[in-house]
Amino acid sequence: MKEPNIFKMALEPAVELVFDELSTATLTKADLVDALFERIGLSKREAKEVVEMFFEIIAESLVASEDDEEVKITGFGNFRVRNKNPRPGRNPRTGELVPIAARRVITFHASAKLKERVQDVPADLTKD
C-alpha cells in the first residue's frame, strides 16, 4: 500500500490550530501532533512525521546557513545564525576574567503579524 504524500495534501486555508486546551505556555511537539490529528485529520503517525520534518528542515537550514542568513517563516518570524566574536567575560562570583570563545548563536525575531496577534490578546486572558 502506497503511503500518502502528506506534504501534497490540500489544507483548507480556514483551518487554524488553536491550542485553547493548553493550561501552560509550553507547547510541545506532542501538542502539535495532537492538534494536527484532531483538527486536520492526519493520523498520529503522519502528524508526528510532519512535525518532525518541519523542525528538521528548519534545523538543517540553520546549520547550513552563512552568517546573517535568515530562515524566514512568513507570518511567524525569522531565525538567524550569527557568528559572535571571542570576548572577555567575568565570573560574577569571583570577578575573575574568563575568556568567552567565538561561537554561533541563533536569534529569533517575531514578524509584525505575530507581534500584532500577541498585542491583540487582552491582558486578563494571559493571567493564570
Side-chain angles (χ1 to χ4, degrees):
M1 184 165 129
K2 188 175 179 183
E3 295 285 325
N5 187 338
I6 55 179
F7 294 107
K8 290 187 178 179
M9 297 175 79
L11 300 178
E12 296 177 29
V15 172
E16 283 191 35
L17 300 178
V18 181
F19 300 97
D20 294 331
E21 63 276 357
L22 293 177
S23 59
T24 67
T26 302
L27 177 63
T28 65
K29 286 182 180 181
D31 293 331
L32 293 171
V33 168
D34 290 341
L36 290 170
F37 170 73
E38 292 170 10
R39 302 189 190 257
I40 297 177
L42 296 177
S43 72
K44 290 265 186 168
R45 187 180 57 74
E46 291 170 335
K48 182 178 179 186
E49 287 176 13
V50 168
V51 170
E52 292 295 334
M53 184 62 67
F54 174 76
F55 287 109
E56 183 62 28
I57 289 168
I58 292 173
E60 286 175 1
S61 297
L62 289 168
V63 168
S65 71
E66 299 293 325
D67 192 29
D68 283 339
E69 264 186 344
E70 291 183 340
V71 174
K72 183 178 217 167
I73 302 174
T74 304
F76 186 73
N78 302 324
F79 294 92
R80 176 180 287 168
V81 176
R82 292 186 43 227
N83 289 319
K84 295 193 83 172
N85 294 324
R87 63 185 175 89
R90 229 175 249 288
N91 180 330
R93 184 173 289 166
T94 64
E96 176 186 358
L97 281 176
V98 179
I100 298 174
R103 64 202 187 281
R104 293 179 72 185
V105 296
I106 300 171
T107 61
F108 174 77
H109 294 279
S111 72
K113 286 182 181 180
L114 180 58
K115 288 178 185 178
E116 183 180 311
R117 287 183 69 181
V118 169
Q119 291 301 317
D120 288 345
V121 176
D124 59 330
L125 291 179
T126 60
K127 293 181 182 175
D128 289 335

